[in-house]
Amino acid sequence: MGENMIRDLSDNPNKLEIRDVSFDYIDKKSRFSALEHVNLDIKEGEFVCILGLSGCGKSTLLGLLSGLNKAKSGEILLDGKRIAEPGPDRAVVFQQYSLFPWLTAKGNVDFGIRQSGKKYTRKQRETKAEEYLANVGLAGAANKYPGQLSGGMKQRVAVARALALESDVLLLDEPFGAVDPKLRLELQELVSRLCMEHNKTVVFVTHDIDEAILLSDRIVVMEPGKIRTILNVKLPHPRKRDNLIGTVEYENLHRKLIASFYAHVEDNIDSEVIL
Ligand code: ADP
Ligand code: MG
């Protein structure tokens, strides 16, 4: 990919379609409406961040896309087909390292490859696992167990395992929430680059405005239970935080996002500047 390119995905077909989706959490005594009538189309190859304060329903929405949550009403389509359950066509990365502690880094990535359902030989799997670990800068840690890896390294392995599934769609739920700020920036730039290289369609949940700007083609700002607004991020790639901060585009976007982000909790912030 060239330097300073502003991506235009408007001619791409829809990869994911969220159609009038509502979701309730139900227990013995109560019913809680976590999402109401959510609509969103996501283009093939698009990187979309779902941004919102804690409790807005971001993880619930990702759970619906992954197939772990079932919608009360409405439907979600992937390549025009209704999502009914989790599948190898969608890789998921969560905040809490979900690596298998009894497998090495390479073993964890190999698990992703086997989950893909593709018929690789053992030797091919081995080569691929090494390739994906190298992709995330962990070629040297292939034989280490999760317990021997730092938090940032574990999240790299989780990303490598997700890539190894070779799915078109990648779903990430605050994957770097527990990683320290410097490392976090590295991982953001890494994921941004890898997703473009592999032409992934990405839905990335975060409550971090800067993270959303750095990564996204579009930012979907949520308020409790619904989408509040959607903003396009027309900033060139590759993006580096240091080059972005202070530019007019960045500051405008940041201001709009702050206004929208807090609009439902702070009535004194003008939320009408959006879009
Ligand atoms: P976010 O990821 O944006 O922080 P969630 O999607 O986790 O938000 O939660 C949305 C809302 O649903 C919150 O009010 C939360 O308390 C509620 N919720 C989440 N999980 C459950 C559950 N298992 N049972 C009942 N309510 C839940
Ligand atoms: Mg969440």
Side-chain angles (χ1 to χ4, degrees), residues 215-252:
L215 295 171
S216 308
D217 295 303
R218 272 190 308 158
I219 300 175
V220 174
V221 185
M222 287 189 69
E223 60 184 51
K226 56 184 182 203
I227 293 175
R228 176 170 186 89
T229 189
I230 301 177
L231 287 127
N232 291 314
V233 184
K234 296 278 181 206
L235 292 165
H237 287 279
R239 294 181 192 154
K240 293 257 179 219
R241 207 166 92 112
D242 289 348
N243 303 345
L244 286 177
I245 290 178
T247 63
V248 175
E249 296 83 357
Y250 177 88
E251 296 302 334
N252 276 340

Side-chain angles (χ1 to χ4, degrees), residues 26-64:
I26 301 165
D27 63 29
K28 280 167 250 142
K29 292 211 186 83
S30 61
R31 170 187 289 268
F32 176 78
S33 169
L35 291 175
E36 280 182 31
H37 304 292
V38 172
N39 284 284
L40 181 68
D41 288 345
I42 297 173
K43 298 271 185 197
E44 190 181 293
E46 192 175 23
F47 200 123
V48 171
C49 275
I50 310 287
L51 178 70
L53 292 169
S54 179
C56 274
K58 306 183 295 296
S59 296
T60 304
L61 184 57
L62 209 76
L64 285 157

Side-chain angles (χ1 to χ4, degrees), residues 130-138 163 190 193-194 197-198:
E130 283 164 4
E131 219 174 87
Y132 284 117
L133 279 174
N135 267 185
V136 298
L138 280 185
L163 290 175
L190 177 79
R193 179 172 58 75
L194 289 174
E197 278 173 18
H198 293 264

Side-chain angles (χ1 to χ4, degrees), residues 1-9 44-47 163 168 170 188-202 213-217 235-240:
M1 181 158 134
E3 293 284 303
N4 290 323
M5 202 193 72
I6 293 178
R7 304 209 311 155
D8 179 9
L9 305 162
E44 190 181 293
E46 192 175 23
F47 200 123
L163 290 175
D168 296 343
L170 205 52
Q188 288 162 353
E189 289 174 2
L190 177 79
V191 160
S192 174
R193 179 172 58 75
L194 289 174
C195 288
M196 276 189 270
E197 278 173 18
H198 293 264
N199 194 34
K200 300 285 186 190
T201 304
V202 189
I213 297 177
L214 190 80
L215 295 171
S216 308
D217 295 303
L235 292 165
H237 287 279
R239 294 181 192 154
K240 293 257 179 219

Side-chain angles (χ1 to χ4, degrees), residues 5-260:
M5 202 193 72
I6 293 178
R7 304 209 311 155
D8 179 9
L9 305 162
S10 52
D11 290 338
N12 287 11
N14 285 337
K15 188 76 186 176
L16 289 164
E17 293 162 313
I18 301 172
R19 294 264 181 264
D20 204 32
V21 162
S22 299
F23 181 84
D24 290 350
Y25 285 106
I26 301 165
D27 63 29
K28 280 167 250 142
K29 292 211 186 83
S30 61
R31 170 187 289 268
F32 176 78
S33 169
L35 291 175
E36 280 182 31
H37 304 292
V38 172
N39 284 284
L40 181 68
D41 288 345
I42 297 173
K43 298 271 185 197
E44 190 181 293
E46 192 175 23
F47 200 123
V48 171
C49 275
I50 310 287
L51 178 70
L53 292 169
S54 179
C56 274
K58 306 183 295 296
S59 296
T60 304
L61 184 57
L62 209 76
L64 285 157
L65 289 167
S66 75
L68 289 167
N69 291 343
K70 310 259 179 270
K72 173 179 78 169
S73 58
E75 59 180 8
I76 299 182
L77 308 178
L78 168 58
D79 290 327
K81 287 191 232 57
R82 192 175 186 151
I83 289 173
E85 54 193 18
D89 47 10
R90 283 151 286 149
V92 189
V93 181
F94 296 105
Q95 172 175 346
Q96 286 311 325
Y97 321 117
S98 43
L99 300 178
F100 301 115
W102 60 89
L103 294 176
T104 61
K106 193 151 117 187
N108 270 282
V109 177
D110 184 56
F111 181 86
I113 299 172
R114 280 183 281 128
Q115 262 196 321
S116 76
K118 297 193 176 136
K119 304 228 176 311
Y120 295 125
T121 63
R122 181 191 283 260
K123 182 74 207 148
Q124 281 171 322
R125 288 202 337 249
E126 171 118 13
T127 310
K128 282 199 166 280
E130 283 164 4
E131 219 174 87
Y132 284 117
L133 279 174
N135 267 185
V136 298
L138 280 185
N143 296 318
K144 292 213 156 75
Y145 287 88
Q148 301 171 291
L149 301 172
S150 69
M153 289 165 98
K154 279 189 256 195
Q155 255 345 29
R156 278 171 197 261
V157 177
V159 168
R161 187 177 64 184
L163 290 175
L165 202 60
E166 299 184 339
S167 59
D168 296 343
V169 176
L170 205 52
L171 308 170
L172 304 104
D173 194 350
E174 309 208 21
F176 310 138
V179 176
D180 79 69
K182 183 172 173 290
L183 216 60
R184 187 171 179 153
L185 205 53
E186 277 176 39
L187 287 171
Q188 288 162 353
E189 289 174 2
L190 177 79
V191 160
S192 174
R193 179 172 58 75
L194 289 174
C195 288
M196 276 189 270
E197 278 173 18
H198 293 264
N199 194 34
K200 300 285 186 190
T201 304
V202 189
V203 183
F204 187 111
V205 164
T206 183
H207 59 252
D208 181 329
I209 292 178
D210 284 318
E211 181 165 75
I213 297 177
L214 190 80
L215 295 171
S216 308
D217 295 303
R218 272 190 308 158
I219 300 175
V220 174
V221 185
M222 287 189 69
E223 60 184 51
K226 56 184 182 203
I227 293 175
R228 176 170 186 89
T229 189
I230 301 177
L231 287 127
N232 291 314
V233 184
K234 296 278 181 206
L235 292 165
H237 287 279
R239 294 181 192 154
K240 293 257 179 219
R241 207 166 92 112
D242 289 348
N243 303 345
L244 286 177
I245 290 178
T247 63
V248 175
E249 296 83 357
Y250 177 88
E251 296 302 334
N252 276 340
L253 195 56
H254 198 271
R255 192 171 41 75
K256 284 182 188 173
L257 284 167
I258 291 269
S260 183

